[in-house]
Amino acid sequence: MSDGKIEWNTIRERLEAISAALEKGQSPGDKERILKARAEVLAREPEDTKEKDSLEIVEFLLANEYYGFESRYIREVYPIKDYTSLPGTPSFVLGLINVRGQIMSVINIKKFFDMPDKGISDLNKVIIIHDDMMEFGILADEILGVRTVMKASLRPAPTTFSGVLAEYILGVRDGHTIILDAQKLLRDKKVVVCEEVI
Amino acid sequence: MKWFTDLSTRSKLFVSFGVMIIFFAVVVAASYSSLMEVRMLQKKMYEEEFMNMADLKDVRFYQDRIRLISMTMLAVKDKQRLESLRDSGEEVTKRDDELMSGLLDRGKASKNSAALKEFDELRKLFRATRDKQVMPLIFAGKTEEARKVISGIQAERNDKMNVIIDKLVTVSEEAARAAVAESVQAIKNFVSVLFIIGLAVFVLSFILVRYLSGIIAGPLKEVSALAEKIADGDLSVAIPVSERRDEVGTLIRTFTKMAGNMRQVNGEIHESVSTLASSTSEILSATTQVATGMAETATSVSETTATVEEVKQTVQLSAGKARVVSEGAQNAVLVARQGNDAVARTVDGISHIRELMEAVAGNIMNLSGQTQAVGEIITSVSDLTQQSNLLAVNAAVEASKAGEHGKGFTVVAQEIRSLADQSKQATEQVRSILGDIQKATASAVLAAEQVSRAVDEGVKQAGEAGESIRRLSENVAEAAQSVTQIAVSSQQQFAGMDQIAMAMENIKLAAQQNVSATRETEKAAHDLNELGQKLKEIVARYKV
């Protein structure tokens, strides 16, 4: 290109190489990388999984911060497709969704905890928590996955937390994931809405 | 006396002479009255004294006549004669009576009236005696007796009467003498009165004349003196402003105005003369310049003549050059035609390039659409990975619920999750590569568009070049034609140059004439300048 002429031959060779790679379905570099990543995962030391000492949590994002619930209170996670808002309810009640024929109420926990709310999008997920008495969904920005946490590694909530949120913290894992007390939420009277519209 | 000075001179003269006439009339009236007085005196003197005296003498004469008649009758015997004498005696007596009655009338008031009465008595007695005694005695013829009576009593009476008359006459004479003296005195008085009046009139007239001359002639004299000064050229005279309304006042005012006007006119003339002087000097300098200009013109004319000769030669040269240029122009027309053909071919080539370029652009657009489709597929794949992720979470939750039996399931769920993560990463890579492709496509489309525009521009410019070449060939053809015309014109110029040379000769002649005319103009300007100087001197004679 430096002398102003297009090197058509070079271009043609490159195009041929690319089409060959596409036919093979995968670039050679990718294959290597995937294998390496799997090796790393297999090489990881197995964690101590004594049941009494560990907790299984589902980690999720709320306002760009990491939170978690104990997985024994979680029935399932569900992608929110559409919902029906309920007039006359407090602002933290998002509305109702249909989970395979079952009507489920959903709480926007960011409003409940007075966190900054960026609004609801397609990517929002609902974590349905339950115990033997109560069952409702909680809106989460993103689901990160299931983690096994050693109870000993939990730290109490730092004093900088205050307000409503502080009452529901079970502990903090690795300094960033805040594990919330799902049982307390399920039992909480504040979540129960009992109002009559006059 | 202002009213008098304000009167017109005619009225002044009229009034003055009127006064003189009145004086004269007074003198005449005085003379007339004095003359009348003298006349009255003389009349009185005549009537009173001389008449009386004459009458008295007449009366005495008539008395004597009567006596004479009586005496005559004594001597006459003729009866007829006696009667005639008696008749004449009667007549005389009658006249005597008339006179006497007049005397008595006039003397009634005088001191003589007593004497007159006495005389009248005596006369009546005399007459009575004559009529009653003498006459009858005479007619009876008794002459002696009659004589006795006549020379007796009648004579006595006559003597007495004579005495009285003498006395009366003497008195009258004295009275007349006194009257004459009175008359002389009256004349003397009259003369002295006349003299006094005349003197007064003379003095008054003299005063009047002096005053009149002072009032009329005095200012006239002043004005005439001023006029003399003005005549001598002194316009700076100050004339006393007069309030008078008569001709003299008008004259003075008019004179003031005239002097003012003359001063103004003089000043204006002075200014005009200055302007004239500067103008003439300007004219002089201008004529000098013209003269120099003429000399320059003469040199220029000879230079021009030489130049014309040179131009003639140049024109011949240019005619030759014009022929050469004409041939060159013919060649240029041929070249321009060839250039036109080349341009047409160029336009065709560029059009072909444009078609190819459009095909390339279409292919790129197709490619862009296909990448779009790939992007959509990627989106759906991404959705699937999301769902797989959720499924993995749910599976893990379910596995943990299953407790110890679910442990293996937990591992599977984790594996599913890691696969989902990998597919998510792969789709993201594909997405970013697609973004790059999209960008490259956009820039390729942009480049193709630019190429297309450049091709358009090339077509346009080639068209313009063709047009330019066509115009050039036209111009060259025109130039060839023009050059031919130039060759012809050069020939004409050659002829024209000859004419110009002739004209230059004429101009030379005219320039010489101009030089002489300029000299005359210079002389005229000089004369004008002198005239201005003279005028200046004349004006300077007037003192403003």
Side-chain angles (χ1 to χ4, degrees), chain B residues 384-445:
Chain B
L384 288 174
T385 53
Q386 284 265 334
Q387 283 177 27
S388 321
N389 195 9
L390 278 188
L391 273 177
V393 171
N394 282 335
V397 170
E398 289 302 324
S400 72
K401 278 178 189 167
E404 199 61 35
H405 301 288
K407 280 260 167 141
F409 195 63
T410 306
V411 175
V412 175
Q414 251 165 4
E415 203 60 27
I416 292 169
R417 204 187 119 71
S418 99
L419 277 177
D421 276 346
Q422 279 172 21
S423 10
K424 193 180 171 191
Q425 279 169 18
T427 51
E428 254 153 37
Q429 277 174 2
V430 172
R431 199 193 290 278
S432 82
I433 288 163
L434 272 180
D436 290 348
I437 290 171
Q438 203 79 302
K439 271 183 205 159
T441 315
S443 61
V445 167

Side-chain angles (χ1 to χ4, degrees), chain A residues 102-154:
Chain A
Q102 186 189 359
I103 302 302
M104 185 77 62
S105 55
V106 178
I107 287 168
N108 189 348
I109 203 162
K110 284 190 274 185
K111 288 226 172 110
F112 190 75
F113 289 149
D114 297 329
M115 288 180 205
D117 191 0
K118 65 175 179 184
I120 181 168
S121 75
D122 271 357
L123 300 171
N124 279 66
K125 312 290 180 304
V126 175
I127 302 168
I128 301 167
I129 53 172
H130 71 130
D131 62 356
D132 42 2
M133 289 171 70
M134 193 72 175
E135 191 175 44
F136 55 83
I138 285 168
L139 202 63
D141 287 345
E142 201 168 334
I143 306 298
L144 292 170
V146 181
R147 306 271 185 271
T148 306
V149 181
M150 302 305 290
K151 279 183 180 170
S153 67
L154 285 180

Side-chain angles (χ1 to χ4, degrees), chain B residues 260-276:
Chain B
N261 284 343
M262 278 179 80
R263 272 200 292 274
Q264 202 185 342
V265 166
N266 201 45
E268 281 169 13
I269 288 173
H270 195 78
E271 272 173 35
S272 306
V273 165
S274 302
T275 316
L276 185 68

Side-chain angles (χ1 to χ4, degrees), chain B residues 20-214:
Chain B
M20 298 277 263
I21 285 164
I22 287 164
F23 287 159
F24 189 66
V26 166
V27 171
V28 166
S31 311
Y32 181 76
S33 77
S34 301
L35 279 174
M36 286 310 285
E37 204 180 330
V38 168
R39 197 174 147 220
M40 286 296 290
L41 276 173
Q42 282 177 345
K43 194 182 170 189
K44 190 181 158 197
M45 195 169 72
Y46 172 76
E47 274 178 1
E48 283 183 4
E49 312 306 334
F50 290 101
M51 226 171 137
N52 285 356
M53 214 158 69
D55 284 356
L56 282 170
K57 284 195 174 161
D58 279 350
V59 165
R60 194 175 166 186
F61 171 72
Y62 286 142
Q63 195 61 45
D64 285 347
R65 185 85 180 268
I66 290 167
R67 208 169 154 230
L68 185 66
I69 289 167
S70 300
M71 294 291 265
T72 314
M73 280 172 78
L74 284 174
V76 174
K77 300 294 184 210
D78 189 12
K79 201 136 178 168
Q80 220 172 0
R81 175 105 174 112
L82 279 172
E83 275 178 6
S84 74
L85 280 169
R86 193 191 63 187
D87 286 347
S88 63
E90 286 296 322
E91 203 179 326
V92 169
T93 309
K94 220 173 172 179
R95 266 190 235 161
D96 195 33
D97 279 350
E98 279 169 15
L99 280 173
M100 201 59 219
S101 68
L103 270 170
L104 280 170
D105 262 2
R106 285 197 298 270
K108 240 183 243 171
S110 72
K111 54 188 177 182
N112 298 331
S113 61
L116 278 172
K117 271 178 187 164
E118 194 187 348
F119 177 76
D120 197 39
E121 289 299 316
L122 281 172
R123 201 176 62 95
K124 275 173 185 165
L125 282 173
F126 181 83
R127 188 184 294 169
T129 310
R130 193 178 71 110
D131 289 348
K132 284 167 185 163
Q133 290 180 4
V134 175
M135 286 304 144
L137 284 172
I138 290 170
F139 275 97
K142 297 168 183 172
T143 321
E144 275 320 306
E145 284 166 8
R147 195 174 280 149
K148 268 185 198 167
V149 170
I150 288 169
S151 49
I153 196 151
Q154 287 295 74
E156 256 176 57
R157 281 176 189 156
N158 204 38
D159 288 347
K160 270 184 189 169
M161 271 164 36
N162 278 344
V163 169
I164 290 166
I165 281 175
D166 282 345
K167 207 171 120 192
L168 279 171
V169 163
T170 317
V171 167
S172 284
E173 268 174 4
E174 277 171 7
R177 223 169 277 129
V180 164
E182 197 184 344
S183 167
V184 165
Q185 189 59 46
I187 284 166
K188 265 184 193 166
N189 288 346
F190 166 58
V191 165
S192 61
V193 164
L194 264 187
F195 180 74
I196 288 160
I197 289 172
L199 199 67
V201 164
F202 178 75
V203 167
L204 282 172
S205 302
F206 185 74
I207 289 165
L208 197 61
V209 164
R210 279 299 296 270
Y211 179 67
L212 211 59
S213 82

Side-chain angles (χ1 to χ4, degrees), chain B residues 354-364:
Chain B
R354 179 157 61 177
E355 279 163 22
L356 290 176
M357 211 52 224
E358 273 165 9
V360 168
N363 287 338
I364 290 169

